[in-house]
Amino acid sequence: MATATVAKGAPGETLGAPPRPIRRFFDRHRNTLGAMAFISPWIIGFLVFTAWPMIYSFYLSLTDFDNINPPRFAGLANYRAMISDHTIPQALWNTFHFAIMSVPATIIVGLLLAMLLQRASRGNGFFRTVFFLPRMTPQVAVGVLFLMLFNGSRGIINQILGWFGITGPQWTVDSAWIRPGLVLMGLWTVGNTAIILLAALKDVPRELYESARVDGASSLRQFWSITLPLISPQIFFVFIVNSIASLQTFTEAYTAFFGNQANFSNDAALFYAIHIFETAFRNFRMGYASAMAWVLFLIIMIITAIQWRVSKRFVFYGGGGDE
């Protein structure tokens, strides 16, 4: 009739209450468990939509799978077949060539825009929004816009070049100009890089520039000796992010050259990610495409590790932190 008590081994504990070790565990790790509860949606999403697909794609890379019949284990046959696939070197070359041109161009243009925004006394917020808006544009639309702007006969770019007596190239047909054209089109979306670098520029102490001017340092010298070292961590960050994005370039080039645009030459725009997509969903070789995806993952990891290693010589972290 009264409140029951537990008789053995746990005096004072009431029925239904958690044992003391469990209560002590919750009391001791209350903050950690609270934080885990808040980030649990992200953890669940990561496990379901990222970790599990990666694990399953690795399994598929070891199988012969045509998207219809059950996968058949094939060992390393897909990886060995990649050695004799003559399309892969071309796709890798196109991807690396695009990344080598795109990443430096994106950082340089983004830094120039950030420096202009920093000097703007009025309308700074308006121009930040204007520069960032193209980033919100669907990449499919950017691919279609590329064909309209860079059309060799009727495109606006060649018309503007014609005003200065310059005959523009056939951006969408000439294989030598397809990748540079895509790089130029990609510069339209440097707003996020500019915003990150603008935040870095605003954190540079003004008194350093004042001291440099007192010592007679020129503007170029101030930029080289003060600005670049102090924003080098942010430059390194956008360098890593843009490098990974460039190696995974897909949507704009696919929309422009691999949709219904059969009249255009597309060999120069065959990036590695496009080759993976074509292999998986047009040729129905999902196992082979999974092996290609894992090779790209390893390439990105190796390049990122090299960049991280080299960055220790060029990136300055204030406060004495090494990394």
Side-chain angles (χ1 to χ4, degrees), residues 24 28 39 82 131 146 164 179 181 280 289 311:
R24 283 198 297 269
R28 188 178 305 165
I39 65 174
M82 291 178 64
F131 289 149
F146 170 81
F164 301 96
R179 289 187 294 272
S311 72

Side-chain angles (χ1 to χ4, degrees), residues 134-158:
R135 190 66 184 176
M136 308 301 292
T137 306
Q139 292 180 324
V140 173
V142 176
V144 175
L145 192 61
F146 170 81
L147 294 178
M148 297 174 62
L149 294 177
F150 287 84
N151 185 287
S153 303
R154 304 180 302 276
I156 297 175
I157 301 299
N158 279 3

Side-chain angles (χ1 to χ4, degrees), residues 8-319:
K8 52 181 181 180
E13 291 186 354
T14 59
L15 283 178
R20 282 182 174 175
I22 296 179
R23 281 212 305 264
R24 283 198 297 269
F25 175 81
F26 277 96
D27 291 340
R28 188 178 305 165
H29 301 285
R30 179 177 302 171
N31 293 335
T32 302
L33 293 174
M36 293 293 291
F38 277 109
I39 65 174
S40 59
W42 180 89
I43 294 176
I44 294 172
F46 173 78
L47 293 175
V48 173
F49 298 110
T50 301
W52 168 244
M54 289 184 66
I55 295 172
Y56 190 65
S57 73
F58 180 72
Y59 161 71
L60 290 180
S61 73
L62 302 176
T63 67
D64 181 12
F65 181 43
D66 59 2
N67 297 352
I68 299 175
N69 299 306
R72 293 177 301 173
F73 186 74
L76 299 177
N78 289 325
Y79 293 94
R80 286 196 296 267
M82 291 178 64
I83 299 174
S84 58
D85 187 345
H86 300 297
T87 308
I88 287 182
Q90 180 187 7
L92 284 175
W93 163 249
N94 291 340
T95 305
F96 288 139
H97 191 195
F98 174 81
I100 289 171
M101 291 188 295
S102 173
V103 176
T106 300
I107 294 176
I108 291 172
V109 174
L111 182 57
L112 290 175
L113 289 177
M115 296 176 70
L116 288 175
L117 285 172
Q118 189 189 27
R119 292 175 179 273
S121 57
R122 293 182 178 179
N124 191 296
F126 171 76
F127 287 112
R128 279 205 307 265
T129 305
V130 169
F131 289 149
F132 193 79
L133 275 180
R135 190 66 184 176
M136 308 301 292
T137 306
Q139 292 180 324
V140 173
V142 176
V144 175
L145 192 61
F146 170 81
L147 294 178
M148 297 174 62
L149 294 177
F150 287 84
N151 185 287
S153 303
R154 304 180 302 276
I156 297 175
I157 301 299
N158 279 3
Q159 290 184 22
I160 294 175
L161 291 176
W163 296 345
F164 301 96
I166 302 174
T167 302
Q170 296 294 324
W171 300 93
T172 59
V173 178
D174 189 343
S175 60
W177 286 99
I178 286 178
R179 289 187 294 272
L182 287 170
V183 171
L184 291 175
M185 195 66 207
L187 295 179
W188 192 45
T189 59
V190 298
N192 59 331
T193 299
I195 297 301
I196 292 173
L197 295 180
L198 175 63
L201 289 173
K202 287 182 176 297
D203 282 342
V204 178
R206 299 294 98 186
E207 56 268 25
L208 294 180
Y209 293 111
E210 295 171 2
S211 300
R213 281 194 290 270
V214 170
D215 292 338
S218 64
S219 298
L220 181 61
R221 185 65 179 174
Q222 294 175 37
F223 174 77
W224 185 258
S225 300
I226 298 175
T227 305
L228 273 185
L230 292 184
I231 67 171
S232 57
Q234 289 77 14
I235 292 178
F236 176 61
F237 171 75
V238 296
F239 181 67
I240 291 286
V241 171
N242 286 313
S243 296
I244 295 174
S246 297
L247 293 173
Q248 296 176 328
T249 295
F250 174 80
T251 308
E252 298 94 333
Y254 186 83
T255 304
F257 296 99
F258 294 88
N260 296 323
Q261 309 297 333
N263 294 328
F264 294 103
S265 172
N266 53 21
D267 288 344
L270 181 63
F271 296 134
Y272 194 84
I274 294 176
H275 189 32
I276 293 175
F277 180 85
E278 296 271 304
T279 302
F281 298 105
R282 286 202 171 179
N283 301 328
F284 300 107
R285 300 175 63 192
M286 184 62 77
Y288 187 64
S290 298
M292 293 172 58
W294 269 94
V295 169
L296 177 61
F297 175 74
L298 292 177
I299 291 174
I300 291 175
M301 291 294 291
I302 293 172
I303 292 176
T304 303
I306 294 173
Q307 290 171 333
W308 192 270
R309 185 73 176 175
V310 174
S311 72
K312 294 180 178 179
R313 301 178 56 185
F314 302 102
V315 178
F316 171 77
Y317 292 95

